[in-house]
Amino acid sequence: MLTPQQKDTITEIINIGVGKGSASLSQMIDGEIILNVPYVNLISFDQVFSELRKLQVSDVHAVELKFSGEYEGLANIILPEDSAKLLASLLIHEDPDSAAIVEMKDGLMIEVGNIILNAIMGSFGNMLDVPLDYHMPKSYQGDITKIYGELDQERFNQILICRTNFRIRDKDISGEILIMYEMSSFSKLKSVLDKLVEG
């Protein structure tokens, strides 16, 4: 369980990272992007699919960023396929159903994931005063249960979930940001959060 104070601290850290990522993406599309983090919660592995089904779609585009160092785990950004196509179209000013989007969407989503996830995890690293190493992001498309069905349940039996709403140029683009910590790393994280709460 997370205490209300721990949730508030995590939300603050993520908001800082999301703000940085939002500013970078806004420059890329030459328009306003607003990313909110209205929901942060700690869930067990077997709850993750019920949370992800709240996207109300099964066909998704996901980008995964592995991080290691003092803390180890995965950070993911997950968008319904239609939202991913719309976001890609805004980045290169093409119709969402154009051949250019089909060809370039995968690379564009990796770029988006890299910007947002690096900004968020960078905020965690700075706030917790620990360096984090990042692996090359990977892109996945398809059924959400297949994408995440092969995760190691023992390794990721505690999942920090952050539901993020995207609003871009009056267009609704919805998505999820998931940060998954190995159990040993999560125990360290809670300990550091308590120290931050105590001031």
Side-chain angles (χ1 to χ4, degrees):
M1 282 294 285
L2 289 173
T3 67
Q5 294 84 0
Q6 289 172 335
K7 283 187 179 182
D8 288 345
T9 302
I10 291 172
T11 300
E12 179 184 352
I13 293 171
I14 293 173
N15 271 325
I16 292 171
V18 164
K20 292 178 180 177
S22 174
S24 297
L25 284 178
S26 293
Q27 291 181 350
M28 291 172 65
I29 68 166
D30 192 25
E32 184 180 21
I33 299 179
I34 301 171
L35 300 93
N36 297 315
V37 184
Y39 176 79
V40 174
N41 198 19
L42 174 66
I43 62 174
S44 62
F45 185 91
D46 58 5
Q47 292 175 298
V48 67
F49 294 114
S50 62
E51 289 286 347
L52 294 177
R53 287 191 188 100
K54 293 176 183 178
L55 284 169
Q56 297 183 337
V57 291
S58 60
D59 191 23
V60 302
H61 198 131
V63 177
E64 173 187 282
L65 178 71
K66 291 184 179 181
F67 57 91
S68 58
E70 185 72 19
Y71 302 96
E72 296 192 11
L74 307 172
N76 306 264
I77 182 167
I78 305 165
L79 296 104
E81 186 62 32
D82 288 344
S83 290
K85 287 168 62 177
L86 181 54
L87 181 54
S89 73
L90 292 173
L91 287 167
I92 61 173
H93 309 289
E94 290 279 351
D95 185 272
D97 296 314
S98 69
I101 294 299
V102 174
E103 181 179 348
M104 299 176 64
K105 180 167 68 70
D106 193 63
L108 290 168
M109 287 301 98
I110 286 179
E111 187 173 1
V112 168
N114 204 25
I115 290 170
I116 294 177
L117 298 176
N118 267 290
I120 293 173
M121 297 315 301
S123 292
F124 267 98
N126 291 336
M127 185 71 74
L128 303 178
D129 195 28
V130 293
L132 294 174
D133 297 319
Y134 305 108
H135 301 245
M136 289 294 293
K138 295 181 179 180
S139 176
Y140 301 91
Q141 298 179 59
D143 188 319
I144 197 165
T145 58
K146 291 182 180 178
I147 292 173
Y148 291 95
E150 297 181 0
L151 286 173
D152 186 337
Q153 182 171 351
E154 292 300 319
R155 184 182 177 198
F156 296 108
N157 61 352
Q158 294 288 334
I159 298 172
L160 179 64
I161 184 170
C162 314
R163 183 164 302 116
T164 303
N165 303 122
F166 297 76
R167 288 186 313 189
I168 303 176
R169 292 180 177 173
D170 300 322
K171 298 182 183 293
D172 290 329
I173 297 179
S174 61
E176 301 277 351
I177 292 175
L178 291 179
I179 302 174
M180 306 183 187
Y181 286 92
E182 287 187 347
M183 190 57 192
S184 60
S185 295
F186 190 78
S187 298
K188 295 178 188 176
L189 174 64
K190 290 183 71 172
S191 176
V192 175
L193 286 173
D194 287 336
K195 292 179 181 177
L196 289 174
V197 170
E198 295 170 0

